[in-house]
Amino acid sequence: MTDRSTEEATADRPLLEVEDLRTYFYTDRGTVRAVDGVSVSVSAGETVCLVGESGAGKSVTAESITRLIDTPPGDISGTIRFKGRDLTEASERELQSVRGDEIAHVFQNPGEALNPVYTAGRQVAEVLKIHTDLGKAARRERAVDLLDRVGLPNPGTVADTYPHELSGGQKQRVCLAIALAGEPDLLVVDEPTTALDVTVQAGILALLADLQSEFGMAILFVTHDLGVVAQVADEVVVLYAGKVMERGPVEKIFHGAGHPYTRALLACLPGRGGARQSIGGEPPSALDPPDGCRFAPRCAYAVGECHRGGHPDLVPVDGASDHVASCLFHQSGFDRSHIEGDPPEGGDALALDDGDTFARSDDNESPEDEP
Amino acid sequence: MSDDDPLLAARDLKNHYPVTEGPFRREVGSVRAVDGVSFTLDRGETLGLVGESGCGKSTTARTLLGLEEPTGGQVRFDGEVVFDGDAGTGVTGERRKRFRRDAQIVFQDPTSTFDPRMTVGESVTEPLRIHGLADREHRREVGEDLLVRVGLDTEDYDRYPHAFSGGQRQRLALARALILNPRLLVADEPVSALDAAVTSEILSLLADLQADLGLALVVISHDLRVVREVCDRVAVMYLGEIVEVSPTEDLFADPRHPYTRALLSAIPEPDPNVRSNPVELSGTVPSAANPPSGCRFHTRCPSVIQPASVDLDQETWRRVVDLRVTLAEGIDADALVRVHAEADESESDLTDRQVRRALRAEFDLPEPIDDEAVEEAVTDALDAVARGDEERALDRLAAACTTPCEEHAPALRSVGDGREVACHLHHPPDGVEIDGDGESAASRGDD
């Protein structure tokens, strides 16, 4: 992979560096700030998860990287450096050579991502036609190879089938084969298993891990499923209303979350046992985000300060530079113990639901998870 | 009609869809979406129905409520037969209407279940109107009450569906289902279109409502985590049949059916320190139009039983069965040869030897296989494939490697503690011996 990188780029810099990304959509009803100042970096061979509720800006962030968003109505600003190159400055032509070759995407719904009138093999071969010099026969052979690599039994037969003849899991594997055809350095997968059954999901996740160790790809993984995050991520970025709430190694996010939003999200997870809690309320409108911290209107710990000014900056949690959260209470001059105990009674936030009636015992539960 | 009767009882429920062909729609077969499902549901109880997509969960629900006529079997509600698929009859007239009042359903997608041109108040109270409450003011009163009960505002009554988020619409759908005071509520994937945060709110609401109203609840979901939150008992379905029924916590603590084990192990652990270790299933779900013989799960089961004549380690045995299953579906041997070809080989010397080697590589079969008879059969079969005679290959494999699982269909039978399992490992058919006891065999491949 390094042989394709430019000289100075990769040594100690991340493969992808997104800084202060803002993707706005100008609509009749006003400006939708889908992504509002997000910074993410992905190093070679690493898996970074973007998590959040729907509407948090996960997919728009992922799609802004290779400008899959139509502009207009979209407007992308900020810097996106990939292997030292600034993609925000790149022409459409340059981007086309990056897409599918160096950065490949896999989307949530494989049924819609595949073209119903071409065979699976032909769709894989198409990428090879664009990005390689292989002849027709060689492309076909390589396509069958790739279909085998993504764990499709009987790849020769699958190559000649049309998408409607395949199951959802098989279609997603075909999409993966298409994505791998260009031997990308970065694979952007957007909810790749959300539409699939849990057994099929397990297979796809295992395959992604295999492929990553074999090809050394970096993966930017968009999902709302924290269970999946726990299993695949090295690094987690928690998004809410277009802002980064918290960023850090997966271990610290699950066992030492610094932002009340992250903790609230973890507390919603079904099947963890113990008293499950709801966040309450609704995410804010991207047309008219609230002043102060975007999460403040739903936060059980919010105080007056939280509702003023802009969204708080990301500051280190516990002084560790690899783990940052954008909560006021981690800034100097604030008492972080405020957000560590139980939420104060009668705060201006919505009361948390009483979870007692759903308490179920669970052997795997670690008590320190609960805020 | 005593109180000891379960509220709802399905016996051998079937729903087959005809597959037709040609200009005269000649029936050439049937998709057996629901194929002999039996269970009971007590008053106030919550039963989960889980399984992968296409296993017949939703069809079961729709058939239970009479949204589709069963093609066989019987549904009893409150001691009364409401559908009899065998006789093609059921209750009619006033009694049928009463059943429709008593049994309600909430669907997966709360967006498509509301008429965008009706206010939500009109939608929610429409069942009242249909069932004879003519007084508009009275309807409004009841409707507003219920909106508050499901966590919305009385002001919402006059708004239109587009003004609500997905979670709110699901609350509205619940309000509409509950407005007739039903005794049974079926929730078909009630949260699968929702975010985790909203999911937990809706599940809390469901459990609250159930406790307050004493509803019997059937929750259908492909997500076992959801079922675990709200259900007393869980029925696991595979390809139109129930394979295991058990109290929820017992099922999660100690799944008995190999399929249940696989399902549970596939749930990602929401903790980065605990690595999920999913049981791998072979192949994909077979078609319900042509389900496998015997135990329908045998084509994928990691614990598939070896015949008395075979003595192999379970993994190798599974791969031999995989070879047979895949051959039966048809295989492109030439493509496999190319995939597994070594770099220095050109295509021109595609030999029988290469075909044999490619197939062994594809199915990860050792050479030789540890069991002489199986090794011989596999070698013969691979030779036959190389010659293009796949029928001969299949016959050869069938002769040596037929598993008891494909010969006998297991019935759902009790294993104690209110649990039922349909698996030969727990109730071996006559003349079949299981290595060790069934328990340990069933858990093989779990670690």
Side-chain angles (χ1 to χ4, degrees):
Chain A
M1 187 187 61
T2 28
D3 54 288
R4 289 207 291 165
S5 319
T6 41
E7 317 76 53
E8 24 78 72
T10 45
D12 44 359
R13 302 194 58 175
L15 183 69
L16 174 78
E17 284 177 282
V18 175
E19 262 164 50
D20 199 28
L21 178 73
R22 287 167 200 273
T23 306
Y24 294 171
F25 296 92
Y26 299 111
T27 70
D28 294 343
R29 287 161 61 216
T31 304
V32 175
R33 299 165 185 220
V35 178
D36 202 10
V38 166
S39 302
V40 181
S41 71
V42 186
S43 300
E46 181 187 48
T47 301
V48 176
C49 278
L50 290 179
V51 286
E53 297 169 80
S54 42
K58 311 180 294 283
S59 295
V60 178
T61 301
E63 289 171 15
S64 295
I65 294 167
T66 51
R67 221 184 291 156
L68 293 177
I69 306 263
D70 283 336
T71 50
D75 178 45
I76 303 173
S77 63
T79 51
I80 300 165
R81 265 194 306 279
F82 179 68
K83 297 205 286 196
R85 215 168 358 152
D86 190 347
L87 295 186
T88 36
E89 302 289 308
S91 68
E92 183 60 27
R93 213 188 149 75
E94 286 174 275
L95 274 177
Q96 276 178 5
S97 71
V98 171
R99 290 183 201 133
D101 190 28
E102 293 169 85
I103 302 180
H105 286 260
V106 173
F107 299 97
Q108 170 171 358
N109 192 334
E112 285 167 17
L114 294 173
N115 189 331
V117 300
Y118 294 120
T119 61
R122 182 160 168 185
Q123 296 186 55
V124 180
E126 189 185 357
V127 182
L128 298 166
K129 188 173 178 183
I130 296 168
H131 293 291
T132 69
D133 309 325
L134 295 175
K136 194 170 178 193
R139 288 201 298 267
R140 153 92 196 183
E141 207 166 298
R142 176 98 185 94
V144 173
D145 234 4
L146 283 161
L147 291 171
D148 177 65
R149 190 61 204 82
V150 295
L152 285 163
N154 232 338
T157 316
V158 172
D160 293 326
T161 54
Y162 289 89
H164 74 268
E165 299 171 81
L166 301 170
S167 71
Q170 289 173 323
K171 276 188 262 196
Q172 196 59 291
R173 285 175 193 265
V174 172
C175 288
L176 268 170
I178 293 173
L180 291 174
E183 294 178 20
D185 300 319
L186 174 65
L187 189 61
V188 181
V189 290
D190 191 347
E191 305 270 12
T193 56
T194 307
L196 306 175
D197 278 314
V198 52
T199 48
V200 181
Q201 164 173 292
I204 298 273
L205 295 182
L207 171 65
L208 274 173
D210 275 2
L211 294 171
Q212 184 171 35
S213 57
E214 185 176 331
F215 297 106
M217 291 177 304
I219 298 182
L220 183 63
F221 200 119
V222 176
T223 180
H224 70 269
D225 188 332
L226 285 160
V228 172
V229 174
Q231 292 303 313
V232 305
D234 296 312
E235 185 89 5
V236 181
V237 180
V238 182
L239 290 180
Y240 180 77
K243 293 280 188 190
V244 175
M245 292 284 132
E246 183 161 7
R247 191 172 61 217
V250 62
E251 162 71 17
K252 291 186 178 175
I253 296 290
F254 278 80
H255 293 295
H259 201 291
Y261 176 65
T262 313
R263 292 194 205 147
L265 210 54
L266 287 167
C268 289
L269 258 181
R272 262 162 77 99
R276 193 167 37 72
Q277 295 171 326
S278 303
I279 301 181
E282 302 274 329
S285 151
L287 276 166
D288 181 23
D291 282 343
C293 172
R294 299 256 160 117
F295 184 57
R298 300 169 79 190
C299 181
Y301 301 94
V303 295
E305 282 289 311
C306 296
H307 298 281
R308 283 193 279 280
H311 188 75
D313 291 331
L314 285 162
V315 290
V317 176
D318 287 334
S321 63
D322 65 342
H323 182 200
V324 291
S326 62
C327 178
L328 220 48
F329 288 98
H330 288 290
Q331 295 184 357
S332 57
F334 287 90
D335 179 13
R336 59 171 300 181
S337 63
H338 174 75
I339 53 167
E340 267 152 18
D342 284 329
E345 293 285 322
D348 53 355
L350 292 131
L352 292 169
D353 280 3
D354 179 9
D356 287 349
T357 38
F358 315 106
R360 307 245 184 204
S361 63
D362 188 335
D363 302 333
N364 299 327
E365 204 211 335
S366 351
E368 68 268 27
D369 292 354
E370 302 295 328
Chain B
M1 221 185 277
S2 80
D3 268 3
D4 299 339
D5 279 345
L7 180 67
L8 180 78
R11 192 173 51 73
D12 203 22
L13 197 64
K14 290 189 176 122
N15 197 347
H16 296 182
Y17 298 98
V19 179
T20 56
E21 210 178 73
F24 301 108
R25 312 213 135 252
R26 193 163 45 90
E27 199 172 321
V28 291
S30 60
V31 173
R32 292 144 79 171
V34 178
D35 206 15
V37 162
S38 306
F39 65 87
T40 59
L41 179 70
D42 286 332
R43 289 169 179 75
E45 191 190 23
T46 308
L47 176 75
L49 216 51
V50 297
E52 294 172 283
S53 44
C55 72
K57 321 180 281 291
S58 292
T59 311
T60 303
R62 298 173 61 87
T63 311
L64 276 178
L65 296 187
L67 299 179
E68 289 177 28
E69 294 284 335
T71 53
Q74 207 183 54
V75 181
R76 296 169 79 87
F77 184 79
D78 210 3
E80 185 172 52
V81 177
V82 283
F83 301 105
D84 195 330
D86 301 325
T89 58
V91 293
T92 49
E94 190 49 43
R95 281 158 70 199
R96 177 145 191 168
K97 204 164 174 183
R98 197 173 69 215
F99 172 67
R100 291 258 198 249
R101 243 188 347 252
D102 278 339
Q104 294 287 328
I105 185 164
V106 174
F107 294 103
Q108 169 174 5
D109 180 7
T111 314
S112 58
T113 51
F114 280 90
D115 185 334
R117 284 166 299 190
M118 281 165 80
T119 66
V120 302
E122 285 166 349
S123 285
V124 165
T125 57
E126 197 181 13
L128 284 178
R129 191 167 55 76
I130 291 167
H131 286 273
L133 183 64
D135 182 353
R136 181 184 291 265
E137 282 310 304
H138 192 182
R139 285 209 303 266
R140 186 178 184 102
E141 213 173 285
V142 179
E144 286 183 350
D145 255 14
L146 207 53
L147 287 186
V148 174
R149 185 69 198 78
V150 296
L152 297 167
D153 275 335
T154 48
E155 285 104 80
D156 291 330
Y157 193 88
D158 294 313
R159 296 165 78 194
Y160 286 87
H162 70 82
F164 295 88
S165 68
Q168 289 171 327
R169 279 184 212 159
Q170 203 57 295
R171 288 173 190 269
L172 289 169
L174 271 171
R176 180 173 52 190
L178 295 177
I179 201 152
L180 293 171
N181 259 327
R183 287 190 285 165
L184 167 69
L185 178 66
V186 176
D188 188 357
E189 300 275 10
V191 294
S192 66
L194 308 174
D195 265 332
V198 187
T199 292
S200 84
E201 288 172 18
I202 296 291
L203 293 183
S204 304
L205 177 63
L206 256 183
D208 277 354
L209 290 169
Q210 187 199 18
D212 291 358
L213 308 174
L215 277 173
L217 194 57
V218 177
V219 176
I220 293 167
S221 181
H222 69 280
D223 190 338
L224 287 140
R225 293 176 293 188
V226 166
V227 164
R228 185 176 198 179
E229 290 292 324
V230 291
C231 296
D232 305 314
R233 275 192 310 145
V234 180
V236 182
M237 283 189 76
Y238 183 78
L239 217 57
E241 295 177 335
I242 291 179
V243 296
E244 178 163 7
V245 186
S246 163
T248 308
E249 278 315 306
D250 294 344
L251 184 91
F252 279 82
D254 176 27
R256 297 286 175 84
H257 196 284
Y259 179 62
T260 314
R261 276 174 206 280
L263 270 187
L264 288 180
S265 74
I267 302 175
E269 284 285 347
D271 182 340
N273 295 335
V274 184
R275 282 292 139 198
S276 294
N277 190 11
V279 174
E280 242 182 272
L281 295 183
S282 307
T284 52
V285 184
S287 158
N290 187 15
S293 63
C295 170
R296 291 186 179 177
F297 189 51
H298 86 260
T299 57
R300 306 177 71 200
C301 180
S303 312
V304 62
I305 299 168
Q306 307 185 12
S309 59
V310 175
D311 184 22
L312 275 175
D313 66 289
Q314 185 63 20
E315 261 178 60
T316 311
W317 167 244
R318 178 64 249 175
R319 292 197 288 263
V320 172
V321 179
D322 283 346
L323 169 69
R324 208 179 137 209
V325 170
T326 314
L327 276 179
E329 287 165 358
I331 199 165
D332 182 346
D334 293 358
L336 281 180
V337 170
R338 278 193 293 272
V339 167
H340 294 283
E342 274 153 29
D344 56 342
E345 286 172 343
S346 70
E347 238 175 81
S348 53
D349 50 37
L350 198 155
T351 60
D352 288 5
R353 192 179 58 84
Q354 278 178 306
V355 173
R356 287 199 302 269
R357 202 179 57 200
L359 281 166
R360 280 205 196 250
E362 177 69 14
F363 291 94
D364 220 352
L365 291 169
E367 185 164 18
I369 295 170
D370 239 359
D371 183 295
E372 256 176 59
V374 176
E375 168 61 31
E376 217 169 275
V378 167
T379 309
D380 284 358
L382 295 185
D383 276 341
V385 174
R387 288 195 309 271
D389 186 358
E390 291 184 7
E391 218 160 290
R392 156 93 188 135
L394 280 173
D395 289 346
R396 192 65 189 84
L397 282 175
C401 322
T402 293
T403 159
C405 295
E406 66 179 293
E407 293 179 311
H408 312 273
L412 197 59
R413 280 157 73 180
S414 170
V415 288
D417 302 330
R419 310 186 60 171
E420 289 177 290
V421 183
C423 177
H424 291 321
L425 290 170
H426 296 278
H427 299 285
D430 294 339
V432 174
E433 277 194 33
I434 312 279
D435 287 346
D437 70 325
E439 273 308 282
S440 64
S443 62
R444 249 187 246 153
D446 204 30
D447 305 311

